[in-house]
Amino acid sequence: MPPQPNNLPPPFISIRKHIRRIPSPAEEPTSTLVLTSSKGHFVDIRVLKSAFSPTATETAIHPTCSPKVLDWAFCGTSTTTELGLPTASSPPADQSSGEECRHTVWTHWLDTASEEPESDEGDMYTLPDGDVLEKGFNPKDDGGREEYEELWGDEDARATGTEQEQDQEGDGKRVCVVLRMEGVEEDKVSGTVGRKGMIVRVGGWVQGILKEDGGFTVERWKWVEEKGEWENVVKLGMGEMPCGVTFNMHFTGEGAYKDLDAQLSDSASSKWTVLEAFQW
């Protein structure tokens, strides 16, 4: 049973506001959301805005992860180091907050753009308004490098559903859950199928990436307070993953979770394991 983390940063929710491939102007053609746990497990899903339904602007449901709907999705672990000097170009003087730079490395475990995932990295500057400017370099096909900037905003994590009733002060407890799966299964049609996946929940968001038999499925779920329920706002691909078992978490007084392992087994997803599950 994973313990509640001590002396670790809280989980966080990051929403990208724009990307700039220098010297081109900034743009945001995607809906990009990153969920990161206290131990650095993350799921990053970037859905093209054109993929969303014109009648339900926050919903994108498609049978495949085609490049026509999915820009990029990847998951893995991240590490951050405080630096006295940046390793990439400094932000413009009028944008710098005067704080030292943080350098983050994202090690990809699953990546829709690569059969052999590697890592990417960038320098992170906190701006006066609280947003974070990421600067770095991407490799180019010709062997060179392309400088980029990404602007990120954080969203506060919140309690959802019955979890709101678990705090005596009435504010509710926020929840973080990380599930991971790796193994092979027998399929009646395809024979032996390799499967890998990761699911991360932070507060009112859940995202998952699943790779099986060479194909990908990505999901994004959102807690809708007005309806009092979770909604599947992104589903690309035909695979199934147990995002739903993270929705209604029950914890003991010591902060340990209850029933999650049993729910995973009951949902025929026994190869999924719990890496993190806690309240804060």
Side-chain angles (χ1 to χ4, degrees), residues 2-5 8-9 36-41 77-78 275-276 278:
Q4 186 171 0
L8 290 175
T36 306
S37 74
S38 289
K39 294 184 178 181
H41 296 102
T77 54
S78 62
L275 300 185
E276 299 180 60
F278 60 92

Side-chain angles (χ1 to χ4, degrees), residues 19 21 72 120-121 136-140 144-148:
I19 182 170
R21 297 174 177 88
W72 197 11
D120 68 286
E121 54 191 282
F137 296 89
N138 287 323
K140 297 174 65 176
R145 298 195 304 170
E146 174 189 64
E147 187 176 1
Y148 76 88

Side-chain angles (χ1 to χ4, degrees), residues 65-79:
C65 288
S66 161
K68 294 181 179 180
V69 294
L70 181 67
D71 180 55
W72 197 11
F74 53 97
C75 63
T77 54
S78 62
T79 56

